[in-house]
Short mmCIF file of all heavy atoms in Angstrom, two decimals:
data_model
loop_
_atom_site.label_atom_id
_atom_site.label_comp_id
_atom_site.label_asym_id
_atom_site.label_seq_id
_atom_site.Cartn_x
_atom_site.Cartn_y
_atom_site.Cartn_z
N ALA A 109 98.00 85.71 157.03
CA ALA A 109 98.53 85.29 155.77
C ALA A 109 97.50 85.43 154.62
O ALA A 109 97.87 85.83 153.51
CB ALA A 109 98.92 83.80 155.86
N HIS A 110 96.24 85.13 154.93
CA HIS A 110 95.16 85.33 153.95
C HIS A 110 94.98 86.79 153.59
O HIS A 110 94.83 87.14 152.43
CB HIS A 110 93.87 84.75 154.52
CG HIS A 110 92.69 84.90 153.59
ND1 HIS A 110 92.56 84.17 152.44
CD2 HIS A 110 91.60 85.72 153.65
CE1 HIS A 110 91.46 84.53 151.81
NE2 HIS A 110 90.89 85.44 152.53
N ARG A 111 95.04 87.65 154.61
CA ARG A 111 94.91 89.08 154.35
C ARG A 111 96.08 89.59 153.48
O ARG A 111 95.88 90.38 152.55
CB ARG A 111 94.88 89.85 155.67
CG ARG A 111 94.57 91.32 155.48
CD ARG A 111 94.45 92.05 156.83
NE ARG A 111 93.31 91.54 157.60
CZ ARG A 111 93.41 90.94 158.76
NH1 ARG A 111 94.60 90.78 159.34
NH2 ARG A 111 92.33 90.53 159.42
N ALA A 112 97.29 89.13 153.79
CA ALA A 112 98.47 89.52 153.00
C ALA A 112 98.34 89.09 151.56
O ALA A 112 98.70 89.81 150.62
CB ALA A 112 99.78 88.99 153.68
N SER A 113 97.87 87.88 151.39
CA SER A 113 97.70 87.33 150.02
C SER A 113 96.65 88.16 149.26
O SER A 113 96.85 88.48 148.06
CB SER A 113 97.28 85.87 150.10
OG SER A 113 96.98 85.38 148.82
N ALA A 114 95.58 88.49 149.92
CA ALA A 114 94.53 89.28 149.29
C ALA A 114 95.02 90.69 148.94
O ALA A 114 94.72 91.25 147.86
CB ALA A 114 93.29 89.36 150.19
N ASP A 115 95.83 91.23 149.82
CA ASP A 115 96.42 92.57 149.54
C ASP A 115 97.37 92.54 148.33
O ASP A 115 97.32 93.44 147.52
CB ASP A 115 97.17 93.11 150.78
CG ASP A 115 96.24 93.49 151.94
OD1 ASP A 115 95.01 93.73 151.66
OD2 ASP A 115 96.68 93.61 153.08
N ARG A 116 98.14 91.46 148.28
CA ARG A 116 99.08 91.33 147.12
C ARG A 116 98.27 91.19 145.79
O ARG A 116 98.61 91.85 144.75
CB ARG A 116 100.00 90.14 147.28
CG ARG A 116 101.14 90.36 148.22
CD ARG A 116 102.17 89.26 148.14
NE ARG A 116 101.61 87.93 148.42
CZ ARG A 116 101.42 87.41 149.61
NH1 ARG A 116 101.83 88.13 150.68
NH2 ARG A 116 100.94 86.21 149.79
N PHE A 117 97.22 90.38 145.86
CA PHE A 117 96.37 90.21 144.66
C PHE A 117 95.75 91.55 144.23
O PHE A 117 95.78 91.93 143.07
CB PHE A 117 95.28 89.16 144.91
CG PHE A 117 94.40 88.93 143.75
CD1 PHE A 117 94.80 88.14 142.68
CD2 PHE A 117 93.15 89.55 143.68
CE1 PHE A 117 93.97 87.98 141.56
CE2 PHE A 117 92.35 89.35 142.59
CZ PHE A 117 92.73 88.60 141.55
N ALA A 118 95.24 92.26 145.23
CA ALA A 118 94.62 93.57 144.93
C ALA A 118 95.64 94.55 144.33
O ALA A 118 95.28 95.26 143.37
CB ALA A 118 94.04 94.17 146.20
N ALA A 119 96.84 94.52 144.86
CA ALA A 119 97.87 95.40 144.33
C ALA A 119 98.20 95.11 142.87
O ALA A 119 98.47 96.02 142.08
CB ALA A 119 99.14 95.34 145.19
N ASN A 120 98.12 93.85 142.48
CA ASN A 120 98.35 93.46 141.10
C ASN A 120 97.23 93.79 140.17
O ASN A 120 97.45 94.05 138.98
CB ASN A 120 98.70 91.93 141.00
CG ASN A 120 100.02 91.61 141.60
OD1 ASN A 120 100.92 92.41 141.59
ND2 ASN A 120 100.16 90.38 142.09
N ILE A 121 95.99 93.74 140.66
CA ILE A 121 94.81 93.91 139.80
C ILE A 121 94.39 95.38 139.73
O ILE A 121 93.85 95.78 138.73
CB ILE A 121 93.64 93.03 140.31
CG1 ILE A 121 93.99 91.58 140.24
CG2 ILE A 121 92.35 93.31 139.57
CD1 ILE A 121 94.19 91.05 138.85
N LEU A 122 94.64 96.16 140.75
CA LEU A 122 94.17 97.57 140.74
C LEU A 122 94.69 98.38 139.56
O LEU A 122 93.92 99.20 139.03
CB LEU A 122 94.51 98.22 142.07
CG LEU A 122 93.57 97.81 143.23
CD1 LEU A 122 94.07 98.36 144.55
CD2 LEU A 122 92.18 98.27 142.97
N PRO A 123 95.90 98.16 139.08
CA PRO A 123 96.31 98.98 137.85
C PRO A 123 95.44 98.61 136.67
O PRO A 123 95.11 99.47 135.84
CB PRO A 123 97.75 98.52 137.64
CG PRO A 123 98.24 98.14 139.00
CD PRO A 123 97.05 97.52 139.66
N VAL A 124 95.03 97.36 136.54
CA VAL A 124 94.14 96.93 135.45
C VAL A 124 92.78 97.65 135.61
O VAL A 124 92.21 98.15 134.65
CB VAL A 124 93.96 95.42 135.40
CG1 VAL A 124 93.03 95.00 134.32
CG2 VAL A 124 95.36 94.74 135.25
N VAL A 125 92.30 97.66 136.85
CA VAL A 125 91.00 98.33 137.13
C VAL A 125 91.12 99.83 136.82
O VAL A 125 90.20 100.39 136.25
CB VAL A 125 90.56 98.08 138.57
CG1 VAL A 125 89.32 98.86 138.91
CG2 VAL A 125 90.27 96.56 138.76
N ASP A 126 92.24 100.39 137.17
CA ASP A 126 92.42 101.82 136.91
C ASP A 126 92.41 102.11 135.41
O ASP A 126 91.80 103.09 134.98
CB ASP A 126 93.73 102.34 137.50
CG ASP A 126 93.71 102.38 139.03
OD1 ASP A 126 92.58 102.44 139.60
OD2 ASP A 126 94.80 102.38 139.66
N SER A 127 93.00 101.23 134.61
CA SER A 127 92.96 101.44 133.20
C SER A 127 91.54 101.29 132.61
O SER A 127 91.15 102.00 131.67
CB SER A 127 93.93 100.48 132.46
OG SER A 127 93.43 99.16 132.47
N ILE A 128 90.76 100.35 133.20
CA ILE A 128 89.38 100.21 132.79
C ILE A 128 88.59 101.45 133.12
O ILE A 128 87.79 101.98 132.33
CB ILE A 128 88.77 98.95 133.45
CG1 ILE A 128 89.41 97.70 132.86
CG2 ILE A 128 87.28 98.86 133.23
CD1 ILE A 128 89.10 96.41 133.58
N ARG A 129 88.82 101.98 134.32
CA ARG A 129 88.09 103.24 134.71
C ARG A 129 88.51 104.41 133.84
O ARG A 129 87.71 105.24 133.51
CB ARG A 129 88.44 103.56 136.19
CG ARG A 129 87.76 102.67 137.18
CD ARG A 129 88.32 103.01 138.55
NE ARG A 129 87.30 102.96 139.58
CZ ARG A 129 87.55 103.12 140.84
NH1 ARG A 129 88.77 103.40 141.27
NH2 ARG A 129 86.57 103.06 141.73
N ALA A 130 89.78 104.44 133.42
CA ALA A 130 90.28 105.52 132.54
C ALA A 130 89.59 105.48 131.18
O ALA A 130 89.46 106.50 130.49
CB ALA A 130 91.79 105.45 132.38
N SER A 131 89.15 104.27 130.76
CA SER A 131 88.47 104.16 129.49
C SER A 131 86.98 104.59 129.60
O SER A 131 86.28 104.55 128.62
CB SER A 131 88.56 102.72 129.01
OG SER A 131 87.72 101.87 129.75
N GLY A 132 86.55 104.96 130.80
CA GLY A 132 85.16 105.51 130.95
C GLY A 132 84.25 104.55 131.62
O GLY A 132 83.06 104.92 131.83
N ILE A 133 84.63 103.37 132.00
CA ILE A 133 83.73 102.42 132.68
C ILE A 133 83.92 102.66 134.18
O ILE A 133 85.03 102.53 134.71
CB ILE A 133 84.09 100.99 132.32
CG1 ILE A 133 83.95 100.78 130.79
CG2 ILE A 133 83.24 100.03 133.09
CD1 ILE A 133 84.44 99.44 130.32
N SER A 134 82.82 103.01 134.83
CA SER A 134 82.97 103.34 136.28
C SER A 134 82.12 102.47 137.21
O SER A 134 82.38 102.37 138.41
CB SER A 134 82.61 104.79 136.50
OG SER A 134 81.26 105.02 136.09
N SER A 135 81.11 101.78 136.68
CA SER A 135 80.27 100.98 137.54
C SER A 135 80.96 99.68 137.88
O SER A 135 81.77 99.17 137.13
CB SER A 135 78.92 100.66 136.85
OG SER A 135 79.10 99.74 135.82
N HIS A 136 80.61 99.14 139.02
CA HIS A 136 81.20 97.84 139.43
C HIS A 136 80.91 96.76 138.47
O HIS A 136 81.75 95.92 138.12
CB HIS A 136 80.73 97.49 140.82
CG HIS A 136 81.21 98.39 141.91
ND1 HIS A 136 80.58 98.53 143.15
CD2 HIS A 136 82.25 99.29 141.93
CE1 HIS A 136 81.24 99.42 143.84
NE2 HIS A 136 82.27 99.88 143.15
N ALA A 137 79.60 96.73 137.96
CA ALA A 137 79.24 95.69 136.99
C ALA A 137 80.01 95.85 135.72
O ALA A 137 80.39 94.86 135.07
CB ALA A 137 77.73 95.76 136.78
N GLY A 138 80.20 97.11 135.25
CA GLY A 138 80.97 97.35 134.03
C GLY A 138 82.40 96.92 134.17
O GLY A 138 82.99 96.35 133.25
N ILE A 139 83.01 97.22 135.31
CA ILE A 139 84.40 96.83 135.55
C ILE A 139 84.50 95.28 135.57
O ILE A 139 85.42 94.72 135.03
CB ILE A 139 84.93 97.45 136.85
CG1 ILE A 139 85.02 98.99 136.71
CG2 ILE A 139 86.28 96.86 137.22
CD1 ILE A 139 85.28 99.70 138.02
N ALA A 140 83.50 94.63 136.23
CA ALA A 140 83.50 93.17 136.28
C ALA A 140 83.42 92.61 134.87
O ALA A 140 84.13 91.67 134.53
CB ALA A 140 82.36 92.69 137.12
N ALA A 141 82.57 93.16 134.05
CA ALA A 141 82.43 92.67 132.69
C ALA A 141 83.70 92.85 131.92
O ALA A 141 84.10 91.97 131.12
CB ALA A 141 81.23 93.35 132.01
N ALA A 142 84.36 93.99 132.11
CA ALA A 142 85.65 94.26 131.38
C ALA A 142 86.72 93.33 131.86
O ALA A 142 87.49 92.80 131.02
CB ALA A 142 86.03 95.71 131.59
N LEU A 143 86.80 93.06 133.15
CA LEU A 143 87.79 92.11 133.61
C LEU A 143 87.54 90.70 133.08
O LEU A 143 88.48 89.99 132.68
CB LEU A 143 87.80 92.08 135.15
CG LEU A 143 88.39 93.31 135.87
CD1 LEU A 143 88.08 93.28 137.35
CD2 LEU A 143 89.87 93.37 135.66
N ASN A 144 86.29 90.29 133.06
CA ASN A 144 85.94 88.99 132.48
C ASN A 144 86.27 88.90 130.98
O ASN A 144 86.77 87.91 130.52
CB ASN A 144 84.47 88.64 132.75
CG ASN A 144 84.20 88.37 134.22
OD1 ASN A 144 85.06 87.82 134.92
ND2 ASN A 144 83.03 88.70 134.66
#
């Protein structure tokens, strides 16, 4: 159940991360800052 919940959360957030990457931010720290 925990794994399924984490997978659902990831599926919802990954499009946001993809848009951040498309704007030119590629480092993990940069993506974290953009999400925050």
